[in-house]
Amino acid sequence: MKFKDILKEVRIYEGLTQEQLGKLMCLSQDTISYWELGKSKPDFDSLLFLSAYFDIPLDELMGMDDYLKTFTKPILNNENKNKDKKE
């Protein structure tokens, strides 16, 4: 999942509107809407706030779990193959 989808999912799960989340963060409802639509992205401080508020590790909030699963495993497998060849 992408950040925009994760944010919307956790916000709704916690029973918050975009306006309520915006007020908690001293931001406008439009800002939250743009994040959820993927039109813009939050700054680092906002990401830290969201991670802490929703009690979600930053990498999960950013959707890195799926990205790392598809990206690093082939690299690790290639590194292991190269190690086997050297030994």
Side-chain angles (χ1 to χ4, degrees):
M1 279 174 79
K2 294 183 178 185
F3 166 76
K4 65 186 189 100
D5 303 316
I6 295 168
L7 175 61
K8 184 175 183 178
E9 186 175 293
V10 298
R11 177 184 58 76
I12 291 170
Y13 179 81
E14 293 294 327
L16 292 172
T17 65
Q18 290 177 343
E19 184 177 7
Q20 290 169 327
L21 180 57
K23 283 183 181 181
L24 285 170
M25 299 181 71
C26 299
L27 299 169
S28 70
Q29 179 268 327
D30 286 342
T31 299
I32 306 302
S33 175
Y34 286 171
W35 292 350
E36 291 183 2
L37 293 170
K39 291 183 176 183
S40 66
K41 296 186 181 187
D43 62 16
F44 189 68
D45 289 337
S46 295
L47 288 172
L48 291 176
F49 175 89
L50 293 167
S51 175
Y53 184 82
F54 292 119
D55 194 28
I56 299 174
L58 193 54
D59 58 338
E60 287 182 31
L61 179 65
M62 295 301 299
M64 292 300 293
D65 283 352
D66 290 336
Y67 175 76
L68 291 174
K69 286 177 189 172
T70 61
F71 183 70
T72 57
K73 285 191 178 183
I75 291 174
L76 292 175
N77 289 338
N78 287 338
E79 287 176 2
N80 289 338
K81 287 178 186 177
N82 290 336
K83 284 181 184 178
D84 292 339
K85 289 179 184 178
K86 291 178 184 176
E87 293 176 359

